[in-house]
Amino acid sequence: MSRVTRRALQWGAVYLGLALLPMAVVLARPPDEARGLGVEFGAMLGLLALAVMALQALVSGRHRWFGATLGFDNLLQFHRRMGLVALLLVVAHPSVMLVSRPAWLDYLDPREETLRALTLMGLLLATLLLVATSLWRLACGLSYERWRALHGVLAVAVVGGGLGHALMVGHYTAGGAGLLLALLIVMSLLLVAETRLLRPWRLRRRPWQVVETLPVRGEATTLVLAPVGRHRLAFAPGQFIWITLGDTPFQLQQHPFSIASSAERPERLAFTAKQMGDFTATLPEVAVGTRAFVEGPFGAFLPDARNPSGAVLIAGGIGVTPMMSILRTFADRSERLPLWLIYANPTWEEATFREELEALAERLRLEVIHVLDEPPEEWQGERGLVDRDLLARRLPADDGRRDYFICGPGPLMDAAEGALIELGIAPTRLYSDRFDIV
């Protein structure tokens, strides 16, 4: 069993244990009243839904002590899928119970017990809204900042409301079981407070400032940050940071960006972004001297310079930024491992950093393979998609030890991952870096 697989299994066991913990707490002393298999199964679905929703704060909270070695991309994808699982559990919980005891439909009648009925309907509506706005943020017309605020409020409301519902029912939560369940859920809410309040409070003592704003090829902008004071940020090539621009870290506009600069120069942090969204479109106007706050580094998108088989880097568009940090760092360290960069772009003019990549190829054992969707007439290089045929033709035969790193638009990443697996590359040697948060 590989180290990556073993680590994933260990993390999965911890998560599963935490998800089942509320059920174990309430079942430790089951009540005397028997309500039938269907009702009890529905109740357990509700407890599981509550646990999964509470654990979302743990999975997405960028806590270094939890799942840090798995990579933020993997945790983010897991967070999304478990959000859908939580929604299914929230819907299944009352459905199973009402099918088992149709008379309980009266609980949804606000004329009987208004608070209980509104709480139940509100929890279902809030969960639906939480998932829908995450899946279709742009279709809902939400900016990232507004979505982030709404997401946090709805998540706290669902978890808090779910706890209140369980305590109000009281069948399993009377006495000590209720207190233990409340403690578990409150710990989840405290994690939210740590992420949204305590971390910004600590960051305010380590400010940075913008020292350069540089336009680069492909309608992109590079911002270079320098620390205000003696602090530094040690990072590994391929990692990313969360950045807040402005006089205070207590803002909603915190965004993740891959570090593009060399890890050998921690006194300067550079990140490059294409002008695509509400925030990135404003980067060219960011003035030198603007205050910034940096949280990180994060990520397990880390090639091993000691691997004699080297690494294959597959990038699409601005997804080349973590690759630039890797290549710049390796060049500064005079590393000699073999490297291949497959770099896909719509046109030759959109190939960001193409001139620097030529220079880096002279300093490293690096082969740069450009792939264009719409090449110029005189183009002699690769064209079309990064597919199985291209990878088989341009890459050396895999020796079972080489690692593969992929970053770019979703379709390119999906195609490259599938093609590499078809070529026999083990999934444990594929590292993906996706920042399509919502």
Side-chain angles (χ1 to χ4, degrees), residues 206-390:
R206 301 191 301 274
W208 295 68
Q209 66 179 358
V210 177
V211 293
E212 288 185 87
T213 301
L214 306 171
V216 294
R217 187 186 301 278
E219 296 183 344
T221 303
T222 294
L223 260 59
V224 182
L225 309 179
V228 179
R230 297 184 174 220
H231 61 91
R232 297 289 185 271
L233 183 72
F235 64 92
Q239 289 191 299
F240 71 96
I241 51 180
W242 287 75
I243 294 175
T244 302
L245 295 177
D247 294 330
T248 174
F250 291 97
Q251 299 186 51
L252 293 174
Q253 58 92 345
Q254 189 184 40
H255 296 266
F257 291 101
S258 294
I259 303 172
S261 50
S262 170
E264 292 296 293
R265 304 174 186 181
E267 73 282 358
R268 289 289 189 274
L269 289 179
F271 69 93
T272 301
K274 191 176 180 66
Q275 299 163 31
M276 299 175 62
D278 296 336
F279 178 73
T280 53
T282 67
L283 294 183
E285 284 75 48
V286 174
V288 171
T290 298
R291 189 62 58 98
F293 298 89
V294 174
E295 181 186 345
F298 301 99
F301 197 72
L302 310 173
D304 185 0
R306 299 168 298 178
N307 186 347
S309 298
V312 172
L313 314 176
I314 302 176
I318 204 62
V320 76
T321 51
M323 319 302 190
M324 293 304 299
S325 178
I326 293 168
L327 297 176
R328 288 164 171 167
T329 301
F330 283 2
D332 288 344
R333 293 175 181 172
S334 300
E335 300 285 2
R336 300 305 299 166
L337 74 161
L339 297 165
W340 295 263
L341 171 63
I342 297 177
Y343 187 21
N345 281 283
T347 67
W348 185 233
E349 287 305 312
E350 294 177 76
T352 309
F353 302 119
R354 74 185 195 207
E355 292 86 0
E356 185 177 355
L357 287 172
E358 293 179 10
L360 287 168
E362 299 295 325
R363 300 173 60 190
L364 296 163
R365 292 177 60 191
L366 168 66
E367 180 180 355
V368 180
I369 303 164
H370 288 283
V371 184
L372 301 180
D373 285 339
E374 302 173 13
E377 293 183 3
E378 67 278 8
W379 180 252
Q380 299 297 315
E382 299 289 346
R383 63 185 68 204
L385 302 176
V386 178
D387 55 16
R388 184 184 187 278
D389 291 340
L390 185 148

Side-chain angles (χ1 to χ4, degrees), residues 154-178:
L154 288 175
V156 171
V158 169
V159 174
L163 174 61
H165 169 60
L167 296 176
M168 287 172 62
V169 172
H171 182 72
Y172 280 110
T173 56

